[in-house]
């Protein structure tokens, strides 16, 4: 019970710290408790699968890419414009759509009734991957590459 | 084994795969392009373009076959004539715009292989959007179209204007998607958990939350108006059109507008018919302001692509009149015929601009001076397309506009049609200005003449003769369609007639 009492407060405090921290590395570090606490609240409304996915996506993907963003350029500036609080309404809306808690039910619906959006989302991921590489690849002779084939 | 059997039978009962066969062929084409590029290791990239063209043509063939035998089924896809026509339009757009982009991509030495990939994915997104009757499918396909267009507009990475264009496109599509999503979430809430458009309208028809449904309509209107570049949401259009590479501008000046048109019509027709007084007034206002603004600002432009951007804003204003004028006996015939003609006019003009910019490298209207002496074929075809855009008989633009304004007048939209007529006259001014510039000899820069000749020889040494004609093939196709569609209006109108739903 203590977990669910403390979680919203900690999420809010961490979110505020993300925005207000002077050091960008602090911002990224304090970003991590936010999805952790938010996904701690989700099993309360009965969404167990969604809580786990939330953890994987937000911490595993978004926090990691945020830390890459902080690492690469020469950030002496104090601001990263990352509004964490906007996750709450989005999470609420997505929570409204996923009313089923069981993974099997979710899979059943996703693969039959909603299979077209599912396939199109997979195509979106494919195109996004290829597009990101196309836009950023820099073929120079100084880069050492691995000769796989 | 039992599970798999029951799963397959459920799958077959919910989706009829023969209906989405055109999209499946495009997906197969997409995968083939990726794999072929990987296997060939970057050589022989022209083959990829041929794959694209072949798959588009096969899709079109299958779509024709389906147009004749209409299969209707439920849930995510509806297969009525309206949707099929839009799919067909988008296939035409993709086909012609790839035809005219081959030379450009070869010459500018950008990475060759992913270009047809993005075009296929954008075309696919547009096609699925035309058929979707489900909020989730609509959103996902819209995002697909926007993402691919964003990558396309930033394709020439070393050009800073291209980077700016793709940044603005990204911001615009983000704003449009978020606005649409907010409207959709309100609809989802009020219809008590329904995602499909038919079920939503059943549920919200007699609800007492009418003011809030108006708010939802406003957000959806804002979201689609971004894509259509109607008046207050048009700010992104000139910069994006000027910065992106020319064949890409050709592609999304027609494809994303056609897809957004189908989305707009379907959403507002299906969900908000009883609000039709309210949104009719708003759309009329938007259409009038787009027409006025587009035509007036296009007069002062010095860059051809920017001028075409503003002119396309005004063309969409005309098409909005067609949407408002839809009634029971004619359906959306006026809008559909005008869209069909608009595709060819616009693509034709962009084909000629691509050819010209390949040969001289400039986009300035002043540099078109005296083109008649250097290249009469290009001049003549450009004259045809520009006059068609302006609405001069006997070209098809005139017939399209005539039909559109006649229907608008019959439907009682007197102010809109009057404004449209006045602004059409203004548009003729800036189209004729270019034609006059091309046809009159000037004593102006001899150096443009010199660079013209030099580039021409450079281009033809790089490309084989087979490919050099692909842009010209696109040009000729569009020129023919621009002129002859007007004469063959009757069958086109007959097909587009029973599209009211």
């Amino acid at each position: 019970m203590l977990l669910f009492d403390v979680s919203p407060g900690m999420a809010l405090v961490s979110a505020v710290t993300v925005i207000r921290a002077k050091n960008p590395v602090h911002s990224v570090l304090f970003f991590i408790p936010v999805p952790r606490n938010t996904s701690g609240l989700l099993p309360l409304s009965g969404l167990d699968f969604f809580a786990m996915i939330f953890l994987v996506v937000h911490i595993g993907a978004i926090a990691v890419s945020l830390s890459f963003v902080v690492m690469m350029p020469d950030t002496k500036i104090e601001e990263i414009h990352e509004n964490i609080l906007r996750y709450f309404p989005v999470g609420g809306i997505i929570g409204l759509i996923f009313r089923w808690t069981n993974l099997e039910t979710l899979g059943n619906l996703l693969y039959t009734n909603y299979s077209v959006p599912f396939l199109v989302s997979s195509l979106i991921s494919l195109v996004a991957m290829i597009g990101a590489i196309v836009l950023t690849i820099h073929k120079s002779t100084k880069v050492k590459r691995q000769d796989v084939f | 084994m039992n599970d798999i059997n029951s799963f397959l039978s459920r799958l077959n009962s919910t989706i009829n795969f023969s209906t989405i066969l055109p999209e499946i062929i495009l997906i197969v084409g997409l995968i083939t392009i990726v794999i072929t590029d990987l296997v060939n290791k970057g050589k022989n990239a022209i083959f990829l373009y041929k794959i694209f063209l072949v798959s588009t043509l096969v899709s079109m063939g299958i779509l024709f076959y389906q147009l004749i035998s209409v299969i209707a089924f439920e849930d995510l896809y509806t297969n009525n004539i309206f949707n099929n026509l839009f799919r067909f339009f988008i296939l035409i757009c993709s086909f012609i715009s790839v035809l005219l982009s081959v030379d450009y991509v070869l010459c500018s030495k950008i990475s060759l292989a992913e270009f047809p990939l993005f075009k296929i994915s954008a075309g696919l997104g547009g096609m699925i959007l035309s058929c979707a009757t489900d909020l989730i499918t609509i959103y996902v396909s819209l995002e697909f179209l926007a993402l691919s267009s964003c990558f396309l507009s930033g394709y020439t990475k070393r050009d800073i204007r291209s980077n700016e264009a793709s940044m603005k496109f990204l911001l615009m599509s983000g704003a449009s998607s978020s606005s649409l999503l907010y409207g959709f979430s309100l609809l989802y809430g009020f219809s008590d958990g329904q995602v499909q458009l038919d079920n939503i309208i059943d549920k919200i028809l007699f609800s007492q939350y009418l003011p809030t449904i108006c708010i939802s309509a406003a957000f959806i209107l804002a979201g689609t108006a971004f894509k259509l570049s109607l008046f207050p949401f048009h700010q992104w259009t000139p910069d994006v059109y000027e910065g992106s590479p020319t064949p890409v501008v050709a592609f999304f000046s027609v494809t994303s507008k056609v897809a957004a048109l189908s989305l707009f019509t379907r959403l507002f027709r299906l969900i908000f018919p009883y609000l039709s007084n309210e949104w009719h007034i708003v759309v009329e206002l938007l259409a009038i302001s787009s027409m006025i603004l587009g035509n007036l600002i296009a007069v002062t432009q010095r860059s051809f692509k920017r001028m075409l951007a503003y002119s396309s804003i005004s063309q969409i204003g005309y098409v909005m009149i067609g949407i408002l004028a839809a009634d029971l006996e004619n359906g959306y015939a006026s809008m559909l015929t005008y869209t069909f003609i608009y595709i060819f006019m616009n693509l034709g003009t962009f084909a000629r601009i691509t050819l010209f910019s390949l040969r001289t490298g400039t986009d300035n209207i002043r540099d078109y001076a005296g083109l008649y002496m250097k290249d009469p074929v290009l001049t003549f075809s450009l004259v045809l397309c520009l006059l068609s855009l302006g609405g001069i008989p006997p070209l098809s633009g005139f017939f399209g506009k005539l039909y559109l304004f006649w229907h608008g007048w019959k439907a009682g939209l007197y102010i809109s049609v009057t404004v449209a007529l006045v602004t059409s006259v203004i548009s003729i001014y800036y189209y004729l200005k270019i034609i006059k510039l091309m046809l009159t000899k000037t004593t102006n820069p001899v150096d443009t003449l010199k660079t013209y000749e030099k580039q021409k020889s450079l281009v033809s040494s790089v490309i084989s003769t087979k490919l050099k004609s692909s842009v010209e093939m696109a040009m000729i196709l569009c020129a023919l369609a621009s002129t002859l569609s007007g004469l063959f209006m009757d069958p086109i109108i007959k097909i587009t007639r029973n599209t009211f739903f």
Side-chain angles (χ1 to χ4, degrees):
Chain A
M1 233 24 228
L2 186 66
L3 184 70
F4 296 127
D5 287 335
V6 164
S7 294
M10 271 191 66
L12 275 174
V13 165
S14 316
V16 171
T17 324
V18 167
I19 305 175
R20 301 230 13 186
K22 288 221 162 57
N23 196 343
V25 183
H26 286 180
S27 295
V28 174
L29 279 177
F30 274 103
F31 173 66
I32 297 182
V34 176
R36 181 167 52 107
N37 290 305
T38 323
S39 74
L41 290 173
L42 285 172
L44 251 189
S45 28
L47 307 168
D48 48 1
F49 172 68
F50 191 58
M52 291 190 278
I53 288 293
F54 208 80
L55 274 176
V56 168
V57 167
H58 284 255
I59 298 187
I62 299 184
V64 167
S65 55
L66 268 184
S67 53
F68 271 108
V69 165
V70 164
M71 273 196 292
M72 284 196 294
D74 208 6
T75 44
K76 296 195 188 77
I77 321 171
E78 279 128 28
E79 314 178 61
I80 287 187
H81 296 284
E82 184 66 41
N83 195 2
I84 307 303
L85 293 175
R86 78 179 149 88
Y87 280 128
F88 287 124
V90 172
I93 291 176
I94 299 180
L96 202 64
I97 293 181
F98 284 102
R99 288 198 298 193
W100 309 273
T101 62
N102 211 347
L103 185 57
E104 190 183 312
T105 325
L106 192 64
N108 264 337
L109 278 163
L110 202 58
Y111 279 91
T112 53
N113 290 353
Y114 296 102
S115 60
V116 174
F118 186 64
L119 289 171
V120 178
S121 322
S122 69
L123 280 173
I124 292 181
S125 320
L126 175 69
V127 170
M129 272 197 311
I130 297 181
I133 297 177
V134 163
L135 284 182
T136 55
I137 198 167
H138 185 52
K139 286 197 172 85
S140 71
T141 50
K142 288 183 269 188
V143 175
K144 295 203 174 107
R145 284 178 198 278
Q146 199 182 16
D147 204 359
V148 178
F149 287 93
Chain B
M1 204 53 208
N2 220 359
D3 285 331
I4 299 181
N5 272 338
S6 64
F7 169 71
L8 279 177
S9 61
R10 286 244 313 271
L11 188 63
N12 272 332
S13 63
T14 48
I15 297 185
N16 194 1
F17 273 112
S18 69
T19 326
I20 50 174
L21 201 52
E23 280 89 357
I24 291 184
I25 291 184
L26 280 186
I27 295 180
V28 167
L30 192 147
I31 299 178
T32 317
I33 286 182
V34 175
I35 296 181
T36 319
D37 182 44
L38 197 61
V39 165
N40 280 342
K41 285 197 236 290
K43 302 186 282 269
N44 198 9
I46 305 302
F47 186 56
L48 300 171
Y49 284 88
K50 294 186 188 152
I51 297 179
F52 176 89
L53 294 174
V54 164
S55 60
T56 324
L57 282 174
V58 172
S59 283
M60 262 198 259
I62 294 192
L63 201 56
F64 257 133
Y65 178 68
Q66 281 183 357
L67 262 179
I68 302 172
S69 55
V70 173
I71 316 168
F73 84 114
E74 69 279 7
D75 284 10
L76 300 166
Y77 256 49
T78 338
N79 222 4
N80 48 8
I81 298 227
F82 187 78
N83 299 337
N84 273 341
L85 276 173
F86 271 106
R87 283 156 102 190
F88 182 61
F89 287 169
I90 292 182
L91 278 176
I92 297 179
C93 299
S94 321
F95 183 72
I96 300 184
S97 67
V98 163
L99 267 186
L100 62 90
S101 62
V102 176
D103 292 336
Y104 190 93
V105 172
L106 270 179
C107 274
S108 56
K109 292 191 180 49
I110 51 186
S111 78
L112 192 55
E114 281 80 17
F115 198 75
L117 180 85
F118 290 133
K119 288 238 159 128
I120 276 197
S121 49
L124 202 60
M127 279 180 72
I128 300 182
L129 184 58
S130 317
C131 285
T133 53
D134 189 319
L135 290 181
I136 301 181
T137 317
I138 288 178
Y139 179 67
V140 164
S141 50
L142 195 66
E143 280 298 300
F144 198 27
L145 175 64
L147 186 75
S148 320
S149 304
C150 193
F151 286 133
L152 275 176
S153 74
Y155 209 68
T156 49
K157 299 175 288 195
R158 290 180 213 103
D159 189 358
I160 213 173
R161 295 176 307 168
S162 185
N163 296 342
E164 177 200 355
S166 86
M167 197 66 217
K168 288 192 174 159
F169 195 91
L170 180 72
L171 290 173
M172 180 279 290
S173 70
S176 143
S177 302
S178 52
S179 180
L180 263 181
L181 264 186
Y182 192 70
F184 284 169
S185 67
L186 280 176
L187 281 180
Y188 177 78
F190 284 123
S191 65
D192 204 23
Q194 297 301 323
V195 181
Q196 288 157 24
L197 293 181
D198 306 322
N199 297 345
I200 290 182
I201 180 60
D202 287 335
K203 290 276 175 80
I204 64 177
L205 198 51
F206 300 112
S207 87
Q208 68 268 38
Y209 297 108
L210 206 58
T212 332
I213 296 183
C214 286
I215 294 182
S216 150
F219 274 100
I220 294 182
L221 183 62
T224 42
F226 264 116
K227 292 271 164 195
L228 284 172
S229 58
L230 285 177
F231 165 62
F233 311 106
H234 69 286
Q235 310 282 355
W236 60 278
T237 318
D239 301 320
V240 169
Y241 279 33
E242 193 184 7
S244 317
T246 319
V248 168
V249 185
F251 180 73
F252 56 63
S253 79
V254 283
T255 312
S256 72
K257 290 211 161 48
V258 166
L261 270 176
S262 83
L263 176 67
F264 183 88
T265 322
R266 211 162 349 106
L267 280 177
F268 278 88
R269 177 73 212 135
L270 280 181
I271 305 186
F272 306 111
Y274 56 91
L275 276 183
S276 55
N277 283 335
E278 280 89 349
W279 66 261
H280 269 191
I281 296 179
V282 176
V283 171
E284 215 175 316
L285 270 176
L286 290 184
I288 292 176
S289 4
S290 317
M291 289 189 276
I292 295 178
L293 184 116
N295 283 316
L296 283 182
I297 300 191
V299 170
T300 63
Q301 294 304 315
R302 275 173 302 160
S303 152
F304 210 127
K305 282 199 283 190
R306 231 179 146 84
M307 185 213 85
L308 276 181
Y310 281 111
S311 108
S312 78
I313 294 176
S314 59
Q315 304 279 341
I316 290 293
Y318 303 145
V319 174
M320 285 289 128
I321 300 183
I323 294 185
L324 294 174
D327 56 3
L328 203 55
E329 42 173 280
N330 278 328
Y332 287 99
S334 48
M335 172 188 83
L336 284 169
T337 36
Y338 194 73
T339 315
F340 182 67
I341 295 172
Y342 167 73
I343 292 175
F344 286 112
M345 297 190 300
N346 227 12
L347 283 177
T349 321
F350 274 111
R352 290 144 186 84
I353 298 179
T354 317
L355 201 55
F356 183 78
S357 64
L358 273 180
R359 291 186 180 158
T360 50
T362 71
D363 192 32
N364 246 331
I365 297 187
R366 298 261 167 80
D367 294 332
Y368 280 79
L371 194 60
Y372 181 60
M373 309 306 298
K374 302 169 206 161
D375 196 352
V377 175
L378 185 63
T379 316
F380 183 60
S381 41
L382 192 52
V383 162
L384 273 182
C385 272
L386 284 176
L387 286 180
S388 188
L389 273 173
I392 311 276
L395 301 171
S396 51
F398 168 71
F399 289 106
K401 281 194 176 147
L402 179 67
Y403 198 54
L404 199 65
F405 297 156
W406 179 46
H407 268 284
W409 194 265
K410 258 192 342 185
L413 305 163
Y414 303 123
I415 304 179
S416 315
V417 174
T418 321
V419 170
L421 286 170
V422 170
T423 47
S424 283
V425 173
I426 299 179
S427 74
I428 295 179
Y429 164 68
Y430 57 82
Y431 293 128
L432 282 180
K433 190 174 69 165
I434 302 178
I435 297 177
K436 171 212 159 233
L437 201 62
M438 285 193 300
L439 290 181
T440 55
K441 246 185 323 185
T442 52
T443 55
N444 223 8
V446 190
D447 45 356
T448 18
L449 179 69
K450 241 194 279 178
T451 51
Y452 193 84
E453 291 305 324
K454 194 166 24 152
Q455 291 288 346
K456 196 170 176 184
S457 60
L458 203 66
V459 161
S460 31
S461 64
V462 166
I463 319 170
S464 66
T465 43
K466 184 153 182 268
L467 278 177
K468 186 167 159 242
S469 61
S470 82
V471 178
E472 288 161 10
M473 209 162 43
M475 262 170 44
I476 294 171
L477 191 65
C478 292
L480 278 177
S482 296
T483 44
L484 295 179
S485 311
L487 304 174
F488 294 130
M489 272 280 274
D490 243 0
I492 301 178
I493 294 180
K494 224 180 289 193
I495 297 177
T496 56
R497 224 175 215 190
N498 52 342
T499 53
F500 201 64
F501 44 86

